[in-house]
Amino acid sequence: MRPFYGETLANGLMLGTAQYPSPKVLSDAFARSGAAVATVSLRRESGRDRAGQDFWELIRALDVHVLPNTAGCHSVKEAVTTAHMAREVFDTRWIKLEVIGEEDTLQPDVFGLVEAARILSEDGFQVFPYTTEDLVVADRLLRAGCEVLMPWGAPIGSGMGLNNLFGLRAMRAHFRDVPLVIDAGIGLPSHAAQAMELGFDAVLLNTAVAKAGDPAAMAEAFATAIRAGQLAADADPMPPRDMAAPSTPLIGKAFLE
């Protein structure tokens, strides 16, 4: 797995912390999954000494990398301000940068995203930008200082999986040395396995686990799928063919006269 700003993760699962029925369910899900990263929203954590204290203690007890996010931000100013507050609260330079541009799909405002990424990178942040699979935008984000890209699989919370396989495959081929994370749209473990089989380094998901009937079991299912996908990618899978090819040699085959 490619390192994320110099950090090598134990596995490719990044798990969100929102929408769980209870703190215990959240803890159980992380325990069963062994996720390497927890994403957290500043909206959940209002500060160590205020309402979010219990939540922050719960996250610290998970003993994972913490990736704060700017979820719900719709402008460069709002995202940059939220990132600064998150750095102060969570004491990390990592920030998952979201600048939402469209309400129905929660598609990122890629113009604002690039600008916010540039500002935050120059200020010492290590930015994980939530973006599309657009190669031009990806290149601009890298030029702005990002060392990781997080393209969406599908709209946030939709559970539709990987909508644009061509675009994601092209991104992997075009940016061979850049850590890539599928962020958003994952609904099933098979979607996560597919992402890893494409050569992505990690998958970030939340709703598919938090809203499952048994979140802990679903978290483990995702962890297993990600391991399987990673193993498959490392094993150099065969290329697809348009024509059939016999798997059994024809030499020595009996012929009837």
Side-chain angles (χ1 to χ4, degrees), residues 121-141:
S121 296
E122 290 177 354
D123 197 27
F125 283 88
Q126 295 175 330
V127 180
F128 293 65
Y130 163 63
T131 183
T132 68
E133 64 275 20
D134 188 297
L135 299 183
V136 177
V137 174
D139 185 63
R140 298 293 173 84
L141 287 167

Side-chain angles (χ1 to χ4, degrees), residues 51 82 105 121 135 137 141 164 175 179 186 203 210 240:
T82 302
T105 62
S121 296
L135 299 183
V137 174
L141 287 167
N164 185 354
F175 302 106
I186 297 295
V203 172

